[in-house]
Amino acid sequence: MLHGLIQSALHFIEGLGVWGILLGLMLEVIPSEIVLAFGGYLVSQGELSLIGAIVFGTIGCLLQQVILYWIGRYGGRPFLDRFGKFLHLKKKHLDIAEGWFHKYGAGMVFTARFIPVLRQAISIPAGMARMPLSKFMLYTLLGTIPWAVIFVYFGRTLGNNWEQINEVAGPYVKPIIFASIVLTALYVLWKFMRRDKTAK
């Protein structure tokens, strides 16, 4: 049944072209990796341009995170504890994201973009903490662009075998996760040193 729903969603996306990619990612009924890889497949079939799939894919991912940011900002945990299951956000994932955000700061908005499940969840505590929207969008965009490029590119490369995307893209995602963690650690260190210097 689930496979049938995914196929129906992908058929709907294909009919709308790049706008289908945008809507599919903004609503994220199915994981972004699948939508982006399918977009790459459509590129390989000549139905979409590579740039179009990446640009609209990036915009779709960004819009989804902005929606979650606003939910966190105006709904908070009471709303999410009650309705989070409809957004496919489990309480334990929200707890982890909230803990990371408060411990490591705004830099986690960038780092978490490469970690499944937490990619969505991290936007909630950012909204709850009233992180400046412009800063949130910048960090989200910086984390979303490489994600979109990787999955669209390999979706195009795989062509009819695009469903094998996780096996092929995995080795390329891991170094990005490591690099983003290092950057976040440097960001936290810089904030700590700056705060210590100000205190003196």
Side-chain angles (χ1 to χ4, degrees), residues 73-91:
R73 182 160 182 165
Y74 292 106
R77 281 305 294 261
F79 176 89
L80 289 160
D81 287 341
R82 187 172 181 181
F83 300 106
K85 60 183 178 181
F86 299 108
L87 299 171
H88 307 291
L89 293 172
K90 296 182 179 179
K91 185 179 183 299

Side-chain angles (χ1 to χ4, degrees), residues 110-181:
F110 170 76
T111 304
R113 297 301 166 207
F114 305 99
I115 304 174
V117 180
L118 293 182
R119 296 186 67 249
Q120 288 74 35
I122 198 65
S123 299
I124 303 296
M128 291 169 61
R130 296 184 177 273
M131 178 180 176
L133 182 59
S134 58
K135 190 175 183 179
F136 170 81
M137 291 182 68
L138 175 62
Y139 286 6
T140 300
L141 187 63
L142 291 175
T144 297
I145 290 174
W147 186 262
V149 170
I150 287 173
F151 283 96
V152 170
Y153 174 78
F154 283 112
R156 184 191 69 168
T157 302
L158 289 168
N160 291 327
N161 298 314
W162 69 271
E163 292 184 26
Q164 300 174 10
I165 186 65
N166 286 328
E167 300 171 21
V168 176
Y172 295 87
V173 173
K174 289 177 181 177
I176 294 178
I177 294 175
F178 177 76
S180 66
I181 290 173

Side-chain angles (χ1 to χ4, degrees), residues 59-78:
I59 295 173
C61 288
L62 180 62
L63 289 176
Q64 190 219 27
Q65 299 311 314
V66 170
I67 290 171
L68 292 173
Y69 169 92
W70 285 115
I71 289 175
R73 182 160 182 165
Y74 292 106
R77 281 305 294 261

Side-chain angles (χ1 to χ4, degrees), residues 181-196:
I181 290 173
V182 171
L183 287 173
T184 301
L186 292 174
Y187 171 80
V188 172
L189 180 63
W190 174 76
K191 283 191 68 176
F192 177 78
M193 292 177 65
R194 184 182 178 188
R195 183 169 51 190
D196 187 57

